[in-house]
């Protein structure tokens, strides 16, 4: 009975989690171009619609309607996301309560875009307002993710992919404690047959004793036995990681904070120095932090500027995950405009690819 109850509880938990984390966005369909009267509600897996010459939903005509989609958006990676919308007519998009796209006017099948920095694994409130005036209603929602290795093109020849239901939810999946495990009953042990046999007398045997060979000492002529064990040399202990000391007022380089080449994905060895910085910030709650990203002068200056900005934002996101309040951190990117070494020599140029921090005491 206990096993049956455990399986029943597991089934109920999975059912509730599936219902609460239903994929897609809640779409509310209204008559009029400014949400005058709601006539229909449904769950839309993605926004990929062309309603030319037809009604988008029961109770609506081919013209003069508005739609509001709401739900949660899952960010699959750290970095800057660029959202695109191709619409006829008006569009507004909020991600995490930030308005990233706003063109609330008549548009003849045009593209609009906006950017926002998101953290990996987080769910963000998503709201899309849309209206169509006369005929030819259409809306397509797509994005360009920071972890895309190759630039993909959607049907409109714009970088990015349609946002599918894999990343759209009506609610964020619940975080639940794992169900207690019910131990299975132990299987009965098979009986062991005991067979009595007559005792056998084993005659005593003589064990040979080891004979230690004498060796001559280099100092004395007396024989010395080598029966004592030889001790191994002591193991060398690894040196502890030096603790970085941070003080307000100066701008310092985080030398161990490194990224993948031409990317803003943190390398694992960056964690030691960033964890020490997080500890220092927690111990000094009045400190404010400015993070600046820098690059060398190789490549397009505009891309270098964006790369430096995103690297600073990734460091800020790391510290927030370690408990540092967002209002204590500011970021900026300088691209290759502030070199500290010669860009003509690679060994020197890599010094320019850096992240700097400036600490300021709030009471000063």
């Amino acid at each position: 009975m206990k096993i049956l109850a455990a399986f029943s509880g597991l089934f109920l938990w999975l059912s509730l989690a599936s219902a609460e984390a239903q994929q897609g966005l809640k779409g509310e369909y209204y008559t009029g171009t400014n949400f005058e009267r709601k006539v229909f509600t449904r769950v839309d897996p993605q926004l990929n619609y062309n309603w030319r010459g037809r009604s988008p939903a029961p109770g609506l005509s081919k013209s003069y309607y508005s739609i509001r989609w709401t739900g949660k958006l899952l960010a699959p990676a750290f970095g800057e996301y660029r959202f695109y919308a191709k619409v006829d007519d008006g569009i507004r998009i909020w991600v995490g309560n930030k308005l990233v796209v706003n063109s609330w006017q008549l548009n003849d099948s045009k593209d609009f875009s906006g950017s926002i920095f998101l953290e990996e694994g987080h769910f963000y409130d998503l709201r899309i307002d849309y209206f169509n005036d006369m005929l030819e209603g259409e809306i397509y929602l797509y994005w360009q993710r920071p972890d895309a290795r190759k630039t993909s093109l959607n049907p409109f020849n714009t970088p990015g992919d349609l946002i599918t239901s894999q990343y759209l939810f009506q609610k964020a999946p619940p975080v639940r404690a794992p169900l207690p495990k019910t131990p299975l009953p132990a299987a009965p042990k098979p009986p062991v047959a005991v067979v009595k046999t007559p005792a056998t007398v084993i005659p005593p045997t003589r064990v040979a004793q080891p004979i230690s060979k004498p060796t001559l000492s280099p100092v004395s002529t007396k024989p010395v036995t080598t029966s004592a064990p030889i001790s191994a040399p002591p193991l060398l202990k690894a040196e502890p990681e030096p603790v970085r000391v941070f003080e307000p007022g100066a701008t310092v380089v985080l030398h161990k904070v490194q990224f993948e080449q031409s990317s803003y994905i943190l390398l694992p060895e960056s964690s030691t120095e960033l964890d020490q910085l997080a500890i220092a910030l927690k111990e000094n709650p009045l400190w404010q932090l400015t993070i600046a990203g820098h690059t060398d002068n190789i490549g397009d200056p505009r891309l270098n500027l964006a790369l430096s900005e995103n690297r600073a934002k990734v460091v800020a996101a790391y510290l927030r995950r370690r408990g540092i309040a967002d209002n204590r951190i500011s970021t900026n990117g300088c691209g290759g405009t502030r070199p500290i070494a010669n860009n003509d020599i690679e060994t020197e140029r890599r010094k320019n690819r850096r992240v700097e921090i400036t600490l300021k005491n709030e009471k000063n």
Side-chain angles (χ1 to χ4, degrees), residues 35-351:
F35 311 99
E36 279 80 359
R37 182 172 63 91
K38 183 164 65 174
V39 297
F40 188 71
T41 302
R42 72 182 178 200
V43 175
D44 292 318
Q46 61 185 25
L47 304 191
N48 181 19
Y49 295 115
N50 185 327
W51 295 302
R52 293 181 181 179
R54 61 190 179 94
S55 167
L60 295 181
S61 65
K62 300 176 184 179
S63 303
Y64 305 111
Y65 53 82
S66 48
I67 309 169
R68 174 169 292 152
W69 288 279
T70 54
K72 296 285 186 178
L73 174 74
L74 172 62
F78 280 107
E80 185 179 52
Y81 290 72
R82 190 158 193 86
F83 289 82
Y84 298 88
K86 181 179 178 65
V87 294
D88 185 333
D89 287 290
I91 183 70
R92 292 187 299 223
I93 300 175
W94 289 265
V95 181
N97 298 319
K98 178 183 177 182
L99 184 62
V100 296
V101 176
N102 184 17
S103 181
W104 201 246
Q105 60 190 16
L106 297 179
N107 296 298
D108 187 12
S109 191
K110 292 183 179 180
D111 287 288
F112 303 94
S113 65
S115 300
I116 186 173
F117 187 89
L118 303 179
E119 297 186 30
E120 178 182 0
H122 284 224
F123 287 85
Y124 293 87
D125 290 325
L126 179 63
R127 171 182 161 185
I128 300 107
D129 285 358
Y130 164 78
F131 83 85
N132 178 55
D133 193 83
M134 290 185 63
L135 308 176
E136 299 184 355
E138 65 175 336
I139 178 169
Y140 302 91
L141 181 65
Y142 42 103
W143 61 3
Q144 188 174 29
R145 290 165 40 175
D147 59 339
R149 296 297 180 184
K150 296 180 181 180
T151 300
S152 56
L153 297 177
N154 56 56
F156 313 107
N157 207 33
T158 304
D161 296 298
L162 286 166
I163 305 177
T164 64
S165 59
Q166 180 182 359
Y167 306 103
L168 301 175
F169 298 84
Q170 293 183 58
K171 294 182 180 179
V175 179
R176 298 177 181 271
L179 292 173
K181 296 182 179 179
T182 303
L184 296 175
K189 296 182 179 180
V192 180
V194 180
V195 180
K196 294 184 178 181
T197 57
T200 304
V201 178
I202 302 176
T205 58
R206 181 170 295 180
V207 180
Q209 299 294 327
I211 301 174
S212 59
K213 296 181 180 180
T215 59
L216 294 178
S217 168
V219 179
S220 173
T221 57
K222 294 182 180 180
V224 180
T225 60
T226 59
S227 57
I230 300 175
S231 59
L235 295 175
L236 297 177
K237 295 184 179 179
E239 291 293 329
E241 189 74 22
V243 178
R244 182 75 183 265
V245 177
F246 298 97
E247 295 181 353
T251 297
V252 297
V253 179
L254 299 179
H255 294 288
K256 295 186 178 181
V257 176
Q258 299 294 323
F259 300 83
E260 291 186 5
Q261 185 175 3
S262 302
S263 170
Y264 40 89
I265 298 176
L266 272 173
L267 294 177
E269 55 264 32
S270 307
S271 61
T272 300
E273 195 167 27
L274 290 179
D275 287 343
Q276 293 175 357
L277 175 59
I279 293 173
L281 289 168
K282 289 181 180 179
E283 293 176 348
N284 300 273
L286 294 180
W287 286 4
Q288 298 290 318
L289 172 67
T290 299
I291 306 169
H294 299 266
T295 68
D296 56 30
N297 65 345
I298 304 300
D300 189 331
R302 294 173 300 175
L303 296 179
N304 285 339
L305 178 61
L307 179 62
S308 64
E309 290 174 348
N310 286 327
R311 285 181 171 179
K313 290 177 180 177
V314 166
V315 172
Y318 185 98
L319 295 174
R320 286 197 295 270
R321 296 184 65 172
R322 294 298 183 273
I324 307 304
D326 185 56
N327 60 5
R328 299 178 61 191
I329 307 172
S330 60
T331 62
N332 62 72
C334 304
T337 61
R338 299 181 185 176
I340 59 174
N342 187 353
N343 271 313
D344 296 330
I345 306 173
E346 171 55 28
T347 54
E348 292 293 304
R349 186 164 56 238
R350 73 166 59 108
K351 298 177 183 179

